[in-house]
Amino acid sequence: MCVRFQDHSMLHPPPPPASLTRTFTCTSDGTPQHRSTSMDARHSACLLAGLVFLLHGFTAWAVVEVSMEDRVEVLKGETAQITCMFTSDDGFGALTIQWFYVSKTGEKHSIYYQDATTQMVERSTSFTDRIMVNVTVATREVVLTITDVQIKDQLEFICLVKSLTDGVSEGRTKLLVFERPDSPTIEGVQTGIYVYETTPSKIGSCEVKNGFPKPNITWYRNNAPIQGDSDEVKIMPSTTIESSGLFSVRSELSLKVMKEDKDAQFYCKVTYLVPGGTRMTETNRINITVYYPSTAVNVWVESPKGKIKEGDSIMFHCYGNGNTPSSVYIIKHGEKEYAVESNTLILENVTRLQNGYYECNSMDMETYEELSGNTTVFVHYLEPAVVLPTNIEIAQGEELTATCNALSSLQTHTAWFKNGRLVSFGHTLIVKDVTFDTAGAYTCVVTVPEIDGMEEMETLRVTVKGAPQIMKPEHTDLEESVANTVELTCHVRGFPSPQIIWTTADGKILETTSQNEMEDGVHSMVSMEVTSDLTAFCNASNEYGADALAFNIKAKSNGVIIAVIIICILLLAILGSVLYFLYKKGKICGRSGKQDLTKEKSSKDNIVVEMKSDNTEDAVLLGVNGEKLLRSPQVDIRPTKPSPKTSCSPLTHHSSPSFSSLLVCFSCGVTNSEEEATAVTRQHSETH
């Protein structure tokens, strides 16, 4: 029988919750028998058994039942909770609860025991320090909590509930542990792959590490999964179990490449399990180098763009539509061959002789297949310009005609310039009624409008014959000081080159300082000293005639300077007379060489005068030299003792003083006066 009745008071035990999927019955000997079945089937069987017993009039015995989830999923390192729900009519004190785990060899190991008096975690197990059990009596629920779940904890756990009256029942739950793998990596081959390989070539490898359960790798090409195990595609997976129990998976892809694979993107998708579902991640995308032979060869002129002219450098590019590195390129022009490096050939400073047909030949050294392509080159030219005549001597009033031509492969344009200024267009230069202004150098410039920088130049020199013509300067009437030097310049046009002579009004020939023949004429210069008013003539002549130009020079007098000198002499004479007069009067450097200030009657030259201002109470003392001595309301004039420092060198009446000695004595007298005034001021201060 599948049910053992032990309690006549419990004919109809309450059904377990519908959410649980494991149920339990027991055998007649009391040994628990576990069967994994669905909740609805088990419930229906029990109801059917109850009806049978009711129909036969038997009394049913009550039983203990345990219900558990089929699995519990958790990430590595997190906490797992395994719930055990039971039914029993006995009180909590009559129940015994035990937890077991089943090892990979199938053995049961106890990890927890609890009865009315004891709660005990089994020692010396891997769960000893990581489990905790909570029992809720009201809901008949036992929860096993496992912390820091590890990969090795992926086991089956058993919850056993024993009742004193209802028997024994147990339930089982599998603990599933998950670990997210590291980010996957992809590595492509670094060498190129030939399309004509007969076996699949390695494309690359993908690897994902440290996942649990084992991750799965799928290869993709341009967003389409690649199916392996064929003659065209080989996928070789390999799995490594790390010491931590985690899985590392590697996958290597090999295939026969095609030309289209040169632009293909290869990558891997990694799928792995997590609690409650599946996750996916991708690697970076890689490209591979695919070598494929050419089916055609093209050659063209890369530079210059447009038309080519002589002197240019031509750059040829020669490419096949394949890319095998074993291809060799050669460019032929007539009988001449040029080696092509890096698909490029440069011909420098080309001429019209290099016009023609250029052929590029390509040979694949692996297959020995030869291909060729060609292009045509035309080098345009412009020959040097020819001016006829190159030098012209023409008389004034005549007509000038010259031509300029240059052969070219393109249409040309001709222009004439003089001194950088455009004077005419066209191959022929015509100037009517020429003058000296017509003379000079003309430049003929021939250009090709279709090509920038393609031009040729030639020069025409024109000389106009005629009588001399003096270019009159802005000023011919000059004014200069007497004794100064004046420079006169004469610019004469004419051909043949005129002879220039400088003369004065009286016919005297002047010596020319310098004379230079230039393109615009003859430049002559003369220098002369101004002594008086004069006129100088520049005389020019040649076989066609003569011309002259007069320069009038007015001499300026130095009267002002003479007047200044005379005034200075007069002033010095007056000063000498005054000094001599003072000397005779004894006012400076007396016969004794001293001046005595102790006399009761002092002269007017050694007195001290009191002066008062109308606007102030202060008085100003002045000496003979007029120097301020002291500011005071009132000053007494008193005689002073002679100072031993006021003497000068004595002069006698018999000696006749020179002008310099009079100046010395005059300055000495001033000094004496200053010292005497100072002495008077000091005495006045002591009195007050």
Side-chain angles (χ1 to χ4, degrees), residues 70-126:
D70 182 63
R71 64 176 63 187
V72 172
E73 298 178 347
V74 65
L75 286 172
K76 176 179 176 291
E78 294 186 354
T79 299
Q81 290 186 333
I82 303 175
T83 302
C84 174
M85 300 187 70
F86 65 92
T87 60
S88 176
D89 291 336
D90 292 343
F92 184 71
L95 300 175
T96 299
I97 300 173
Q98 285 183 278
W99 283 93
F100 301 88
Y101 73 88
V102 180
S103 67
K104 297 186 182 299
T105 60
E107 297 178 357
K108 289 174 56 176
H109 297 274
S110 175
I111 58 175
Y112 181 81
Y113 175 86
Q114 178 178 340
D115 58 18
T117 60
T118 305
Q119 291 183 358
M120 180 181 67
V121 177
E122 295 293 341
R123 300 294 180 184
S124 303
T125 70
S126 61

Side-chain angles (χ1 to χ4, degrees), residues 182-189 202-209 215-221 226 234-240 247-254 265-271 281-286:
D182 300 337
S183 297
T185 59
I186 187 171
E187 183 178 357
V189 293
K202 180 180 177 180
I203 302 301
S205 61
C206 284
E207 187 174 20
V208 58
K209 294 183 177 181
N216 182 59
I217 296 177
T218 303
W219 279 92
Y220 282 77
R221 172 172 53 189
I226 301 175
K234 295 292 183 182
I235 298 177
M236 299 178 59
S238 61
T239 303
T240 302
F247 291 96
S248 294
V249 181
R250 177 184 175 87
S251 178
E252 186 176 292
L253 172 66
S254 299
Q265 290 187 328
F266 295 87
Y267 63 99
C268 295
K269 281 187 179 180
V270 177
T271 55
T281 184
E282 295 181 357
T283 65
N284 297 327
R285 285 162 168 74
I286 62 170

Side-chain angles (χ1 to χ4, degrees), residues 34-170:
H34 307 278
R35 290 180 293 180
S36 178
T37 179
S38 65
M39 189 62 185
D40 293 340
R42 179 61 63 187
H43 187 52
S44 300
C46 291
L47 290 176
L48 181 60
L51 290 174
V52 171
F53 279 103
L54 288 175
L55 291 174
H56 288 79
F58 290 98
T59 304
W61 293 83
V63 295
V64 60
E65 290 188 356
V66 174
S67 298
M68 298 178 69
E69 294 179 327
D70 182 63
R71 64 176 63 187
V72 172
E73 298 178 347
V74 65
L75 286 172
K76 176 179 176 291
E78 294 186 354
T79 299
Q81 290 186 333
I82 303 175
T83 302
C84 174
M85 300 187 70
F86 65 92
T87 60
S88 176
D89 291 336
D90 292 343
F92 184 71
L95 300 175
T96 299
I97 300 173
Q98 285 183 278
W99 283 93
F100 301 88
Y101 73 88
V102 180
S103 67
K104 297 186 182 299
T105 60
E107 297 178 357
K108 289 174 56 176
H109 297 274
S110 175
I111 58 175
Y112 181 81
Y113 175 86
Q114 178 178 340
D115 58 18
T117 60
T118 305
Q119 291 183 358
M120 180 181 67
V121 177
E122 295 293 341
R123 300 294 180 184
S124 303
T125 70
S126 61
F127 299 97
T128 299
D129 299 324
R130 296 188 293 126
I131 63 172
M132 180 177 61
V133 177
N134 293 324
V135 180
T136 304
V137 178
T139 58
R140 302 288 178 165
E141 186 177 271
V142 180
V143 178
L144 171 65
T145 301
I146 305 174
T147 61
D148 191 20
V149 175
Q150 300 299 313
I151 299 299
K152 64 182 179 179
D153 296 339
Q154 181 163 299
L155 301 167
E156 188 176 43
F157 290 84
I158 301 173
C159 172
L160 186 146
V161 179
K162 178 189 276 188
S163 172
L164 294 177
T165 60
D166 296 340
V168 178
S169 178
E170 71 177 28

